[in-house]
Amino acid sequence: MTGIAKMWPLLLLSAGAGCGNGTAAPQVGETDVRLDFIGLRPLDAAREGTYEAWAVGSDGVALSAGRFVAAGGAVAVRSPIQNPVSFRITVEPPGDDDGQPSIYDLLGGAFENGRATLTIVRSVTGVDDLEADPGHHALFTPSNNPDLSFPSFEDAGIWVLAPIRSATKHNSHFLRLTPLRAGWIYEGWIVHDYGTAGECWISYGKFLPDGFREVNTRDDTGLGIFSGQFDYVNAMPLDVDMPGDDWVANIHGMAVPCGLTLPFDLNGKRADEPPVFEVIPSRWTHAITIEPTFDRGEDPLTERPFRGA
């Protein structure tokens, strides 16, 4: 089981020489803008919508430069003003055609000498970048410990907390994550065979940090559909105050994702477990993504990450 991975898109923009003058009034007239992508994947237009480019003039007004789904490594769009001072990329949900930027602001940046680098800072996040050292996860299964006693299938559940808070950079049991702007939410995943053609993403729910950046409330799926609890969203409210899921039993008779077998073994076999000469690395990776809030309410058995991990 690996730690939390982070990969975020980056766009490099090249435009006309008039771009970047922060005081001149917006000049009506089209200017070609080239978007060069690093890590910006294509969208499924029916399920995820489209990207839309926005040119922003010195008056702060954002005007559409066109929609695209990021097919390939570069896209050419046309700014409706000749001297934009900055550029934005939003995600426009399916059916959103009101001509205004959505709340799903993804990337932004200012022009300087006809070029701009767009990042998620001040778009997805506030003024801060993503947390460099968010914390730890632990493997245990609170869902069935009261029934089967501790320990019970402890490698079949993942929960984002540090058992020893002094082991974390911020001296807390809880994960610490950068607050997100309106329109975005964190989602946790376990991924079987991450990075391969057969990788399988399984969500354990969506969540947000509190005002102090700590993730100290449960996610929106509670203990998880394979926790062995009938009311898995609301069960054990006093015992679980962090995101995570257990994968121990299928009392609801649902199809287990990717044909996998319960209970999951997220940990692999360690060298100190019998037989001592056998070491089997884990095939599971822990990932946390940032998702648009219009993805809330997805079927937890079929949902897939909006972006990379």
Side-chain angles (χ1 to χ4, degrees):
M1 176 73 67
T2 67
I4 298 170
K6 297 187 297 183
M7 295 186 298
W8 274 101
L10 182 71
L11 270 76
L12 305 177
L13 278 67
S14 301
C19 297
N21 187 335
T23 58
Q27 299 175 10
V28 177
E30 293 186 339
T31 295
D32 290 329
V33 179
R34 175 185 169 90
L35 313 178
D36 291 299
F37 310 130
I38 301 175
L40 190 69
R41 71 161 179 81
L43 296 181
D44 178 340
R47 185 175 70 88
E48 301 169 317
T50 60
Y51 298 114
E52 187 159 9
W54 303 88
V56 184
S58 59
D59 56 2
V61 176
L63 299 175
S64 177
R67 295 192 178 201
F68 58 96
V69 294
V75 165
V77 296
R78 295 185 67 82
S79 167
I81 55 176
Q82 295 181 353
N83 58 339
V85 297
S86 63
F87 221 74
R88 295 167 55 191
I89 304 293
T90 60
V91 176
E92 302 296 318
D96 186 339
D97 56 1
D98 60 7
Q100 299 297 318
S102 73
I103 64 170
Y104 308 105
D105 214 4
L106 178 64
L107 296 161
F111 278 106
E112 185 175 349
N113 298 323
R115 292 180 62 86
T117 300
L118 307 191
T119 73
I120 66 167
V121 178
R122 295 184 174 85
S123 295
V124 173
T125 67
V127 298
D128 298 324
D129 206 341
L130 295 177
E131 188 75 33
D133 188 3
H136 298 268
H137 66 246
L139 301 183
F140 66 104
T141 52
S143 303
N144 61 12
N145 284 337
D147 300 323
L148 301 179
S149 76
F150 179 88
S152 55
F153 304 123
E154 298 306 296
D155 288 343
I158 191 167
W159 298 86
V160 285
L161 84 162
I164 303 174
R165 69 180 187 182
S166 60
T168 67
K169 179 180 179 181
H170 48 277
N171 193 35
S172 172
H173 288 297
F174 298 106
L175 204 69
R176 182 163 293 184
L177 293 174
T178 304
L180 304 178
R181 296 188 64 180
W184 300 98
I185 193 168
Y186 288 103
E187 185 164 10
W189 309 80
I190 56 170
V191 191
H192 193 256
D193 292 341
Y194 177 75
T196 71
E199 67 181 10
C200 178
W201 288 70
I202 303 175
S203 172
Y204 62 76
K206 296 180 171 69
F207 51 89
L208 287 170
D210 66 10
F212 299 98
R213 298 186 173 217
E214 288 202 330
V215 183
N216 53 17
T217 56
R218 62 173 58 196
D219 58 75
D220 61 358
T221 66
L223 301 174
I225 196 168
F226 296 113
S227 65
Q229 296 282 341
F230 282 103
D231 185 9
Y232 54 88
V233 174
N234 301 301
M236 303 174 62
L238 300 181
D239 300 318
V240 179
D241 56 358
M242 77 291 288
D245 267 8
D246 291 337
W247 292 272
V248 294
N250 191 7
I251 64 173
H252 296 279
M254 308 299 290
V256 181
C258 306
L260 296 168
T261 301
L262 298 172
F264 289 172
D265 179 5
L266 304 180
N267 201 31
K269 185 177 288 293
R270 300 186 302 272
D272 59 351
E273 294 178 334
V276 294
F277 55 83
E278 184 179 16
V279 179
I280 303 175
S282 174
R283 295 176 64 179
W284 293 91
T285 298
H286 180 198
I288 292 179
T289 61
I290 297 176
E291 308 283 315
T293 53
F294 66 72
D295 274 349
R296 273 180 164 168
E298 290 178 297
D299 182 343
L301 298 181
T302 60
E303 64 180 302
R304 291 295 178 265
F306 180 81
R307 308 214 50 76

